[in-house]
Amino acid sequence: MTRTTSHGFFDDDGFAFTITDRATPRPWSNVISNGRYGLVVSHNGGGFSWLDNSQLNVLTRWEMDLVEDRTGKHLYLHDMESGETWSAAPSPGRPAYESYACRHAPGSTRFETAYNGIETEWTLTVAPDRNVEVWAVRITNTSGRPRRIRVSSYMEWCCGVAPDSKREFHRLFIGTEYDESRSQMTVRKVMWDVPDRTEADHWNRAWPYVAAHVFVPGDDVPRFAVGDKTRFIGAGTREAPDAIREGGVQAESFGRFSDAAGALGGELTLEPGETRSVAYLTAIADDAQSLDAELEPYRSLERAFAVPAEAERAWRERLGTTAVETGLDDFDAMNNTWLRYQAISSRLWGRTGYYQQSGAFGFRDQLQDSQVWLPIDPAECRAQILRHAAQQFQDGSVYHWWHPLTNDGNHTSCSDDYLWLPFLVANYIKETDDLSILDEQTAFVDGGSASVETHCDLAIDRAFSRTSDRGLPHIGAMDWNDGLSACGLEERGESVWLGFFLSGILSDFSAVLRARGRGGRADDLLAARDRYTDAIETHAWDGAWYRRATKDDGGWLGSASNEAGRIYLNPQTWAVLNEMGSAERRETAWASVREHLLRDMGPLLLAPAYSIPDRAIGYITRYTPGSRENGGVYMHAAVWALAAACKQRDRASATRIWESISPPRRGADADAYRAEPYVTPGNVDGPDSATPGSAGWTWYTGSAAWLNRVSMEWILGIRPVFGGLLIDPCPIEGMGPVSVRRLWRGRTLRISFDPSAYNAASPAVVSLNGEALPSGMVPSDRLLAVDGEIEITVDWGPRASSLVEAAPRDVSAGATKQ
């Protein structure tokens, strides 16, 4: 086993995590999506399903409840002789199972339970290329006597915006019908309460889909069907509903006058030792004909039972083009499987988790997440860039977030959103050398269109226009830290972090423009970088670290003079990453991070926490002390700190940070950490919290894609730069021999090194297919000239030190600059 916690274990290759003790501190979930259809399912069986938008187009109802986690989609079993009812997953009844296991893997979740001589295996998955959810169910009689078991699904329909908290209102618009010959329930809703409504559309627009729930029994089985929540539960409870005892098809429970639910199943007779199989399908389409086309391929048991393996195989192929093997099983499991899966399935495709149903694209959020595609499928990153460029206005501003399906968005004065477009374009070009993306034409929200290059120019020019008289960028409604929501509403507050971030973009994009023959504009960007650097060094240095921001009234945040929030993490880490100021100041700032912010639970975003709400700063001060951005470990920023430690060649701090944020390591003490040990959390409580070290808001966090990138580019040191690959590892302690298989421009690279040879004082040099190069820089033309697989080895020995003296220095900048 890769790694074990008190509640479960990883499979040998780290591809799946099996929960063996259902009493986890919080719901441990899976987010399964094929890019359109998706579902969330917890280890209790709680969760919901959606198509295209996990907030505006939700199929099934669910209530977020970290304590009970009893609602969602259920699978019931009923003993026809004893009259006892239980569920195939812990929700809703919490049966006292003889055995229990829940296996979460990319593309599927499987429950294996045993109760009173009946073993049940229930696998939930999504077809890789259709809008169909499949449940494959096997029921085995181990009791030694014949058994009659009734099996029934149960779900409540939402069919629109979630949560539909005014259920007595929403149920009036849902209609159902049942086709007994096909064991199919079909559902429509004649009202869609989407947020882009006009007065004419207010509660006056139909849900533009049709959905179905289908029972696939195999052999001839007496059917069971109920379409109304009231009739299903009756005078019973959700744990033991009345209808499952009564049986039969209640045709009158379908129609327009019910609280639409779906309970389908049948009665199975099992001899001793016999296994019977059934399946369930849930699907959605634009119309009835398209719905039938979606469902038809899966109406046989053989076909339905093949889907889980197909889904997992698709994920293995998707994630497997780049892989690592080290002596650290947690590093390998996270980087080979879980970080990428989390970033793609939850963040990019589902845009949801257990803790947050978003459905929307965040301009900065999903752009950063798309970095996960660069080493495995860069075309997907390209597509994401084009999708986001079309959400820009002609003045360079962008939607902070927008909803697919409706395209309504939140147009704010946030100061960093639009800058992530040139940031990602530059990094995409480093990976691919595909300058053609700059010529792609995309629309503006407010009319017209322009090339991606122009969109990037407008973003940078907007930042220039929002600069204070003393040369620092305005913070606006917020910068990356949304919680600083009131600092700059009057467009006087300033952001030091934004100055560091923008300066890195100016360096990178100047190189892009120079390759396009726009040397004059490139020079202008570098001159602007110098001006921002001078302003930061003049006004933002606090003696031992960089200040964070000013409020509209000119007061500083992140200064030693502040009682709370004296030091912030991001200015220090981005000063390091973008080589701002002097090396002496960067080292001093990094030393302050080590002294004040590095903790056993991870790098704190700021310290000390705010304990009194401050209206002039924003809602960050209203969080409980030590939670989320207010003095907690905000994992997104903590990963940047890991990159900065590697940039400083501070191997001890890099090791400490990895060990403090690695989910499998932290999850070894599951009752203290609380969150899933296989995905990153959005936050971990800091020392000012009553529960320091406890994690929350897992799955839906940008830290997954970033941790994968930092692991590959900084710990393993394989960084795409303009002109090639820079190989410059900072291996954390205990890694053992390292072997990496990486996709690069259609070629497979195999990179290996022995971390025991690492020398922080000696830059790495490499050998390309046995030929020593004079530095760690591997030029593109050398790589492209090689046919077949490419072997790269890394060394730090005495010979490497002598070679480095004459090695050319990489001149690319930004977050990947050396």
Side-chain angles (χ1 to χ4, degrees), residues 159 173-177 186-190 207 209-211 287-288:
C159 302
F173 304 97
I174 302 176
T176 63
E177 58 189 58
T186 303
V187 58
R188 295 174 175 85
K189 189 175 183 182
V190 296
W207 184 58
Y209 304 95
V210 58
D287 52 54

Side-chain angles (χ1 to χ4, degrees), residues 19 32 37 96 135 196 202 211 216 237 303 346 441 491 510 538 544 560 579 633 641 664 668 748 750 775 796:
I19 301 162
I32 303 171
Y37 191 104
W135 298 359
D196 69 334
H202 185 57
V216 183
T237 64
R303 186 68 187 88
S346 172
Q441 296 286 312
E491 202 70 353
S510 68
T538 300
E579 292 190 358
V633 177
T748 298
R750 295 189 179 275
S775 73
W796 292 272

Side-chain angles (χ1 to χ4, degrees), residues 351-615:
R351 298 181 303 285
T352 191
Y354 185 100
Y355 292 81
Q356 182 179 358
Q357 275 179 268
S358 171
F361 284 104
F363 196 91
R364 79 159 80 98
D365 296 340
Q366 274 69 41
L367 266 179
Q368 292 177 79
D369 296 329
S370 71
Q371 296 176 107
V372 75
W373 290 115
L374 290 175
I376 60 175
D377 190 354
E380 291 289 344
C381 181
R382 190 183 202 272
Q384 196 72 38
I385 288 170
L386 299 180
R387 182 178 293 120
H388 283 247
Q391 301 302 322
Q392 187 185 52
F393 293 78
Q394 292 184 36
D395 65 358
S397 65
V398 299
Y399 276 137
H400 186 56
W401 53 255
W402 78 95
H403 273 292
L405 298 184
T406 63
N407 281 326
D408 66 303
N410 184 21
H411 191 196
T412 73
S413 62
C414 176
S415 58
D416 77 303
D417 282 340
Y418 40 86
L419 288 172
W420 290 100
L421 181 63
F423 176 90
L424 258 296
V425 168
N427 280 279
Y428 168 79
I429 291 172
K430 288 178 186 179
E431 175 71 36
T432 63
D433 199 30
D434 175 21
L435 292 171
S436 71
I437 190 173
L438 298 167
D439 296 317
E440 290 281 357
Q441 296 286 312
T442 60
F444 292 108
V445 175
D446 50 350
S449 64
S451 67
V452 167
E453 185 171 343
T454 299
H455 281 273
C456 292
D457 283 340
L458 289 170
I460 293 170
D461 286 343
R462 180 167 176 78
F464 288 165
S465 72
R466 302 182 69 192
T467 300
S468 72
D469 291 342
R470 58 180 179 175
L472 295 175
H474 284 306
I475 192 171
M478 68 198 87
D479 57 17
W480 171 88
N481 191 332
D482 288 0
L484 301 178
S485 57
C487 288
L489 294 176
E490 299 173 10
E491 202 70 353
R492 292 197 300 272
E494 302 158 317
S495 170
V496 176
W497 169 79
L498 188 62
F500 289 131
F501 177 57
L502 173 59
S503 294
I505 292 170
L506 297 179
S507 292
D508 274 358
F509 216 72
S510 68
V512 172
L513 295 179
R514 211 170 295 282
R516 295 281 284 181
R518 296 178 63 194
R521 170 72 170 179
D523 291 341
D524 290 343
L525 298 192
L526 293 179
R529 173 188 163 99
D530 290 341
R531 291 194 298 273
Y532 283 113
T533 301
D534 290 343
I536 291 171
E537 295 304 306
T538 300
H539 302 293
W541 182 250
D542 203 55
W545 59 79
Y546 288 99
R547 302 179 181 117
R548 175 61 173 87
T550 63
K551 299 176 287 184
D552 281 325
D553 65 7
W556 279 103
L557 282 66
S559 170
S561 62
N562 298 130
E563 182 176 346
R566 284 196 295 270
I567 178 172
Y568 279 71
L569 180 64
N570 284 356
Q572 325 318 320
T573 56
W574 282 80
V576 169
L577 291 172
N578 284 333
E579 292 190 358
M580 300 288 283
S582 66
E584 181 181 7
R585 279 192 173 181
R586 293 196 299 272
E587 179 54 44
T588 300
W590 182 247
S592 295
V593 169
R594 289 198 303 265
E595 179 181 356
H596 299 287
L597 297 175
L598 295 194
R599 296 289 185 272
D600 290 343
M601 71 279 295
L604 306 180
L605 187 63
L606 63 86
Y610 295 97
S611 58
I612 300 173
D614 188 332
R615 186 174 177 82

